[in-house]
Each structure stands twice: as C-alpha cells, then as structure tokens.
Amino acid sequence: MKMLINVPETVVADALRGMAAAHPELTVDVENRVIIRRDAPVPGKVALVSGGGSGHEPLHGGFVGPGMLAAACPGEVFTSPVPDQMVRAAAAVDSGAGVLFVVKNYTGDVLNFDMAAELAEDEGIQVAKVLVEDDVAVTDSLYTAGRRGTGGTLFVEKIAGAAAEEGQPLERVEAIARQVAGASRSFGVALGACTTPAKGSPTFDLPAGELELGVGIHGEPGRERRPMMTSGEIAEAAVDAVLTDLEPRNPVLVLVNGMGATPLLELYGFNGEVQRVLAERGVAVARVLVGNYVTSLDMAGASVTLCQVDEELLRLWDAPVRTPALRWGM
C-alpha cells in the first residue's frame, strides 16, 4: 500500500510537527505528545482534556481550541495515550477550576485515564471523568468491555466545551457531558478495510461486493456482513439500529461521519438518505453535521450518530467554537 509517510515509526511525530506548523494558535509538544490551546490555562474556566489512539483525526487534536477541548493527548496509531501524557496535559491547562477527562470506552483509554486522574489529583488538580459509549452495534468487542465510544464523542466535547467556555463550574460541565453521552447513539458501516502504517496492508478481510454492518473505528467486527447495499438501504439499516436503542422525544443532532476514505460527494448523498429515513420515522432534526470527523485511517464507510437535545444543549451546540476541524460563530 502506498502512503504519504516517511517511515511507520515516526508517523505520529511527523503529523504533530506538521500540525504545529499549520496551527500556531496551538501549542504542540511533539516529544511529550500533547496538544494544547495556546492561551491555556484560561483563568476561572474548567478545562476539557481528551485523547486516544492516532488514526482517528481530526479527533481529538483537531478539536482543541476555544469552545471545545483545552488539550488532547494522541497515542500511537490505534493505541491509547499513556497516563503521563494526560497528567502533563491536565497540569498545563488547569486554572484551578478543575479538569474534565472525556474518555472513549476502550479498555486502554479507560485504564490509563483512570490512572492519570489519580496522579493528577495527587498533584492537587480536581478531576472529573465522563465515559462515552454510544455505539449500539455490539455490546463487547476486541477493545471494549461494553459499548464502544465513537461519534458521540464529538457531541460531548463540543457541548461540554461550550459550557466550560461560559465559565460553568466543574460539576455542571460534568453533568452536561454525561447528559450528552447518555443521549447519543451511533452505528457505523465499513465498505473497505483500513491500513495501518505499521502493517502496510488491510487490517481485516472484507471481500469485494460485501460490507460490514456495525464496524468499529479500529476495524473491529460488527453485527454481520451483507452483500453490498445502496446508500438508501444502508441509511435505513443504520438509522433503524440507532432508533431501536434511542427513542427521541426531542429533536436530534445528526452527525453523518466519514470513516476517512469516503468523499463528501458520497457522504452528502448518504446524508440525504439519512434525512429521508428520519423523516419517515417521525424524528425531528435540529442540526446536521456532515464530514470526516471520527475516522479510521483510510477506511471506506460512514457512521450515523444521533443526539437528543433540549433547548439548553442546542444552545451550547450553537455556541461559538474555533478549532482546526470545527469552527463557527467566531
């Protein structure tokens, strides 16, 4: 497989150096693998810190900035960051108002963020944590005890980040993050496997003419494989899987997310089918976001995430944000 890299061993460091050159509004510590908003710590404000394996960009580093994360910790490709990264990030962004760790439900992430929280508290930093486990496809997977954390992470980081930007206290920011995590559900579909730099070949075998329903963002198996379906049929399968688990009484935020190799031409067409299915199911849509936000390297495919919102959560979603990957209102 051809890749635009030097050698697999330096792919994350090389990407971080390039990110630093492109975004002077961020402080990118390449050696220690921490990305921080340059004006941190912001006096009187709760700081959100997240992180995870590289390969899911723009998650999480692309979401660092005003209105969202204060810092992100990138691990190696598909590998959790280590506790030292998280503690360093927490110390750099803590203003005394506390730090909220946003953790996707993968075993390595959970264990390392738990350890980091203990270490940070030993240093006098008040830490709260929220776990994102929004994937309805499977209960347990290769990387997870319980549901996987996927597209709902974006909703948690944006909405809780807006609350923190307003100066709301840690207890309230944590409660909002938990509310959003509990109101978010996702379902993903793979049309083709991803390729890690270290392996140099597809991470799983998906025969021509087949797709994987319910795939994870590391290529973990989903519910089943089927012969290739139309965009409309895939939308019906994904939306119905989400709505089986989530019965929204309020309007929803919709994320139609590309897995990395699916062009916007296809994603917008897929979104049209998703909107058709939601209308047929009687689900009111408040806002829609389409693009590659929670990716899996070069995997072909897409995921659908719905988040039920009330007026307060919708107001926080609409609040200004300025990050490399998400920006409006500023």
Side-chain angles (χ1 to χ4, degrees):
M1 299 292 292
K2 296 177 182 178
M3 293 185 176
L4 195 64
I5 64 173
N6 292 316
V7 293
E9 292 77 13
T10 66
V11 66
V12 175
D14 290 346
L16 290 174
R17 279 191 285 270
M19 187 176 196
H23 296 287
E25 73 275 16
L26 302 177
T27 298
V28 181
D29 185 338
V30 178
E31 181 179 356
N32 293 305
R33 304 289 174 90
V34 179
I35 303 165
I36 302 167
R37 55 183 283 184
R38 187 169 289 278
D39 60 351
V42 181
K45 291 184 181 179
V46 171
L48 269 66
V49 174
S50 192
S54 295
H56 305 304
E57 289 75 21
L59 188 82
H60 295 272
F63 298 146
V64 175
M68 216 161 174
L69 296 178
C73 306
E76 291 297 327
V77 173
F78 291 177
T79 303
S80 171
V82 297
D84 284 352
Q85 289 174 259
M86 304 160 190
V87 174
R88 187 173 283 108
V93 300
D94 179 40
S95 68
V99 173
L100 177 67
F101 284 164
V102 179
V103 187
K104 300 191 306 301
N105 188 32
Y106 293 96
T107 301
D109 290 10
V110 172
L111 292 174
N112 287 344
F113 270 102
D114 282 349
M115 186 179 299
E118 294 178 5
L119 294 171
E121 287 170 348
D122 288 344
E123 295 185 9
I125 301 171
Q126 185 181 4
V127 177
K129 295 173 293 183
V130 61
L131 188 66
V132 185
E133 42 187 351
D134 56 304
D135 186 358
V136 303
V138 294
T139 300
D140 298 303
S141 73
L142 300 176
Y143 295 80
T144 313
R147 290 180 167 178
R148 303 174 292 212
T150 57
T153 312
L154 182 152
F155 290 144
V156 172
E157 292 177 356
K158 169 62 184 78
I159 294 174
E165 198 70 30
E166 292 181 347
Q168 298 196 37
L170 180 60
E171 295 78 9
R172 180 59 183 155
V173 175
E174 178 188 4
I176 289 170
R178 291 186 184 280
Q179 181 183 352
V180 176
S184 298
R185 301 288 189 277
S186 296
F187 190 86
V189 179
L191 309 182
C194 62
T195 301
T196 63
K199 190 170 187 290
S201 59
T203 54
F204 61 95
D205 178 39
L206 187 57
E210 294 187 7
L211 54 74
E212 180 94 26
L213 288 175
V215 72
I217 58 174
H218 306 95
E220 312 98 301
R223 290 183 175 181
E224 61 178 312
R225 289 188 176 180
R226 290 188 190 176
M228 187 59 193
M229 302 155 63
T230 67
S231 177
E233 291 168 338
I234 295 171
E236 289 170 359
V239 171
D240 285 345
V242 170
L243 294 180
T244 297
D245 201 270
L246 179 71
E247 298 180 5
R249 298 177 301 277
N250 295 334
V252 297
L253 305 176
V254 180
L255 171 63
V256 172
N257 173 68
M259 294 293 198
T262 304
L264 280 171
L265 179 70
E266 295 177 33
L267 288 177
Y268 277 119
F270 182 55
N271 177 58
E273 297 297 334
V274 169
Q275 300 305 316
R276 172 185 61 80
V277 177
L278 289 170
E280 291 174 355
R281 304 298 188 267
V283 178
V285 174
R287 302 286 187 273
V288 181
L289 186 64
V290 179
N292 289 283
Y293 293 101
V294 183
T295 63
S296 182
L297 292 168
D298 60 344
M299 184 185 290
S303 61
V304 176
T305 304
L306 304 182
C307 177
Q308 181 177 221
V309 292
D310 55 23
E311 290 184 3
E312 175 68 0
L313 296 187
L314 184 58
R315 183 187 68 79
L316 291 169
W317 173 258
D318 287 340
V321 60
R322 189 172 72 249
T323 72
L326 209 66
R327 55 178 61 208
W328 56 71
M330 287 187 172

